[in-house]
Amino acid sequence: MGKKSKIKKIEDYAAGLITLHDEKQEEFDIRIRHAIATFFNAAAAVIFLHDNIQARLDRRWMIIRYHVAKWLNDIREAAEGHGKKILGHFTLILLSTVAFVAIMSYATGFEYFYNGRSLGYVKDQNDVTKILNLVSEQLSREHGYKINISENSDIEFKPIFILDKELDDIDTVLDRFTYMSDTKAEGYTLYVDGMAVVTCKDQATVEKVLNALIDEFTEEKDNVVYKEKGFDEDVEIRKTTVRLKNISSYTEAKRRILTGGSKEIKYVVEDGDTLYGICEKYNISLEELEANNAHQDLSMIHKGDELIITKATALVSVRTISQEKYAKKIEYKTKVIKNDSMYKGNSKVIQEGKNGKKVVTARVIRVNGDKVSETELSSKIITKPVTKIIEKGTKEPPKTAATGTMINPVPGFTVTSYFGYRWGRLHEGVDLAGPQGTTVRAADGGRVIMAGWNGAYGICIEIDHENGLKTLYAHCNDALVSVGERVYKGQAIALSGNTGRSTGPHLHFEVILNGSVVDPFDYI
């Protein structure tokens, strides 16, 4: 009875072990399926998840390792008599997992980007990151600027399947970076009143540009001593990172600063102005002038018209304060003396005026070379001005009607040819020779019927005295009256000269009675 009881206990124990094995085997299968499902989910994430794929894979892998470790521990504890069978199952699954991971690793790689721009594909991120220093050095050497490509801020990677992609080797990666036009580089940017104006490779170049700008408007002269040189605006140089193509050379930076601004000028049209002459004066095209004045019809311009002209100017205003020494004209004054024996409207220069000269020392402020203010500090007169003295008549002029008697239009002149025939032809007046520019006066009152050029007579004045008599004054240098004007006896009507067919300065004077010339000396 005792022996049967022992056998029964052994059988029961064996049955319990088998039952336990079966339960553990079923639990093992469930865990394996769970582990496989988890792994495949992680592998799928490699394909579809981009930026956080690596983190998720790491988390999944930690879960798998945790489950596998726990599962192995459970198997070790619960399946002491069936180790070989269980180990066989585990080995098969583990080998399958490793093979799958190897296949996935072989089929995945990375697309790499520089500042958002795709450059190519690599198997490993290290193929890019390990040459960034070399790329930065090579670009800096080629362009002369300090270029620094940052792995953290400039480079981006995205995992992808690469079985259908052409992968870049290290040399290809280097070439792709080297020939980029949007590579970022360190530079030094000039800011004017907080606005970026131009960027150069280093601070020394920007400072050189600013010094050249000051030199542009501060020409050294013996008579000029500069007390201050600077800028009207707030000028600042900052270290910045910009695209390589936006870094300017010294020459380009200087040109941009000197011509990058603009200002409007109001120009008032003067006598003799033409559109082309104005354009040439301000170095602008006709199209630019028309565009600035689209509200006006420029087909005809007149004196006094206002035109808007846009002129290129510097982006920075150079202000200088200097002490300058120079000669300055002293304008002469004019003194008028009244003469009650001279008719109103008549005048005579008693003494010609003459400008004087003085040497001035002044404090001068200029902006971009244009004088904005001047304060005279001291002066020394070199030549005193001579006052101009003019005698003006105050006597009321007579009426313009003819008096019936005539005066000599140029008293004191010498008679060089009388009225009458000479060389077979009639000389129709008398020639009175004297200094050119002498005042010619009306022989009597009347109305001007000619004032201007008259063929061989040159500049000629003719007056109708409205009593059957007319007088003619030829070879004048200038006419002082115009046609239709009424003149009184003795009024200045012209200046004697040598115009027309003349052999020297003189006045040809004629008297005409009812259409026929007569001897002037019968009337004066």
Side-chain angles (χ1 to χ4, degrees):
M1 190 67 183
K3 185 177 182 180
K4 289 182 179 181
S5 175
K6 288 181 179 179
I7 293 172
K8 177 65 173 173
K9 286 182 179 180
I10 292 171
E11 289 176 348
D12 291 340
Y13 181 74
L17 284 176
I18 293 171
T19 300
L20 178 61
H21 172 267
D22 291 340
E23 290 175 355
K24 294 298 183 180
Q25 182 66 48
E26 184 177 354
E27 183 180 348
F28 172 79
D29 292 340
I30 291 172
R31 290 182 181 276
I32 290 300
R33 286 196 298 273
H34 177 71
I36 292 173
T38 302
F39 182 80
F40 274 101
N41 287 337
V46 174
I47 300 172
F48 300 104
L49 302 178
H50 299 290
D51 297 332
N52 60 351
I53 189 65
Q54 192 63 47
R56 291 192 178 188
L57 280 173
D58 291 341
R59 288 197 297 273
R60 293 293 186 185
W61 181 241
M62 289 178 63
I63 293 171
I64 291 172
R65 289 173 60 189
Y66 169 76
H67 283 294
V68 170
K70 187 175 183 303
W71 172 67
L72 289 174
N73 185 63
D74 290 343
I75 291 299
R76 183 178 60 78
E77 292 178 353
E80 293 178 352
H82 303 276
K84 290 184 179 181
K85 184 175 180 180
I86 294 171
L87 185 58
H89 285 289
F90 170 73
T91 301
L92 179 62
I93 293 171
L94 185 59
L95 289 174
S96 298
T97 301
V98 171
F100 182 77
V101 170
I103 292 172
M104 293 298 295
S105 177
Y106 177 78
T108 58
F110 298 91
E111 183 177 9
Y112 62 104
F113 298 78
Y114 175 76
N115 289 326
R117 173 185 171 185
S118 176
L119 296 183
Y121 309 96
V122 290
K123 177 61 182 172
D124 194 308
Q125 295 182 26
N126 287 333
D127 292 343
V128 175
T129 58
K130 68 185 178 183
I131 66 166
L132 291 183
N133 287 337
L134 179 62
V135 171
S136 299
E137 290 175 5
Q138 183 167 328
L139 287 172
S140 298
R141 186 167 53 253
E142 288 182 3
H143 295 280
Y145 315 134
K146 186 176 181 181
I147 298 172
N148 182 26
I149 300 177
S150 170
E151 175 184 351
N152 297 325
S153 61
D154 298 331
I155 306 300
E156 180 185 0
F157 295 96
K158 290 187 178 180
I160 59 167
F161 275 114
I162 58 173
L163 293 179
D164 60 341
K165 307 295 184 188
E166 183 178 349
L167 301 181
D168 294 342
D169 56 22
I170 290 179
D171 289 337
T172 303
V173 173
L174 183 60
D175 287 342
R176 292 192 189 281
F177 276 105
T178 302
Y179 293 105
M180 285 191 308
S181 61
D182 59 350
T183 304
K184 286 188 177 180
E186 285 185 1
Y188 286 80
T189 300
L190 173 66
Y191 286 82
V192 177
D193 284 342
M195 182 180 69
V197 171
V198 70
T199 301
C200 296
K201 65 179 181 179
D202 51 36
Q203 184 168 344
T205 301
V206 181
E207 291 173 348
K208 183 180 177 183
V209 171
L210 291 176
N211 290 333
L213 187 62
I214 291 177
D215 292 343
E216 189 79 20
F217 299 108
T218 54
E219 182 181 357
E220 295 296 336
K221 297 180 180 178
D222 293 339
N223 63 320
V224 178
V225 177
Y226 289 100
K227 301 297 185 180
E228 293 182 25
K229 300 178 184 180
F231 301 103
D232 266 354
E233 300 83 2
D234 180 22
V235 174
E236 181 184 4
I237 302 173
R238 302 181 200 165
K239 185 178 181 181
T240 55
T241 299
V242 298
R243 297 191 184 278
L244 181 62
K245 61 184 178 182
N246 292 333
I247 294 181
S248 300
S249 65
Y250 163 76
T251 302
E252 174 63 16
K254 181 181 175 183
R255 185 194 66 78
R256 287 179 60 185
I257 292 176
L258 279 174
T259 62
S262 64
K263 66 177 180 180
E264 282 192 354
I265 299 173
K266 278 189 177 181
Y267 180 77
V268 180
V269 177
E270 300 176 351
D271 279 333
D273 274 342
T274 65
L275 292 180
Y276 291 102
I278 295 171
C279 290
E280 184 176 355
K281 180 178 180 180
Y282 288 97
N283 194 27
I284 61 173
S285 67
L286 181 60
E287 291 73 18
E288 289 175 311
L289 184 63
E290 290 174 340
N292 291 336
N293 299 274
H295 61 289
Q296 289 182 251
D297 179 12
L298 298 187
S299 59
M300 290 290 290
I301 57 173
H302 306 86
K303 181 181 179 180
D305 288 349
E306 285 191 355
L307 300 179
I308 301 298
I309 296 172
T310 301
K311 185 180 179 182
T313 187
L315 289 170
V316 184
S317 301
V318 177
R319 175 177 287 269
T320 60
I321 300 177
S322 60
Q323 184 170 302
E324 302 182 13
K325 191 174 183 180
Y326 53 89
K328 188 175 182 179
K329 178 175 65 176
I330 305 175
E331 299 281 352
Y332 67 79
K333 296 180 180 180
T334 300
K335 181 180 179 181
V336 177
I337 300 175
K338 296 180 180 180
N339 185 340
D340 57 7
S341 65
M342 184 183 294
Y343 291 130
K344 285 183 180 179
N346 288 346
S347 63
K348 181 179 180 181
V349 177
I350 304 300
Q351 178 176 280
E352 291 290 347
K354 186 177 181 181
N355 292 326
K357 185 167 67 174
K358 63 180 178 178
V359 175
V360 172
T361 300
R363 180 178 183 268
V364 180
I365 299 177
R366 300 178 188 271
V367 175
N368 287 352
D370 298 327
K371 185 186 295 184
V372 295
S373 72
E374 177 182 357
T375 304
E376 189 172 306
L377 302 177
S378 64
S379 64
K380 181 179 179 182
I381 296 177
I382 304 301
T383 306
K384 291 183 178 181
V386 176
T387 301
K388 183 177 183 179
I389 302 175
I390 300 176
E391 191 176 51
K392 287 190 175 182
T394 60
K395 184 179 179 181
E396 289 295 329
K399 296 180 180 180
T400 57
T403 63
T405 60
M406 295 185 182
I407 62 171
N408 188 332
V410 281
F413 272 31
T414 302
V415 179
T416 57
S417 183
Y418 289 90
F419 175 84
Y421 284 91
R422 59 181 182 180
W423 304 309
R425 58 184 299 180
L426 179 64
H427 183 233
E428 297 180 343
V430 293
D431 289 345
L432 305 170
Q436 185 168 311
T438 301
T439 301
V440 178
R441 303 186 181 278
D444 200 359
R447 182 172 61 87
V448 178
I449 60 175
M450 177 186 295
W453 192 268
N454 185 18
Y457 279 149
I459 294 176
C460 179
I461 309 295
E462 187 173 356
I463 299 173
D464 184 355
H465 301 286
E466 299 173 328
N467 58 1
L469 289 171
K470 296 179 181 178
T471 51
L472 183 145
Y473 314 78
H475 306 305
C476 297
N477 191 58
D478 195 12
L480 304 179
V481 293
S482 56
V483 173
E485 185 177 342
R486 301 197 67 83
V487 296
Y488 57 85
K489 184 177 181 178
Q491 181 176 333
I493 59 172
L495 298 178
S496 66
N498 190 30
T499 59
R501 193 165 63 219
S502 172
T503 57
H506 74 284
L507 174 70
H508 174 82
F509 176 60
E510 295 182 10
V511 176
I512 306 162
L513 175 63
N514 296 323
S516 300
V517 292
V518 294
D519 188 347
F521 282 119
D522 290 340
Y523 293 86
I524 60 175

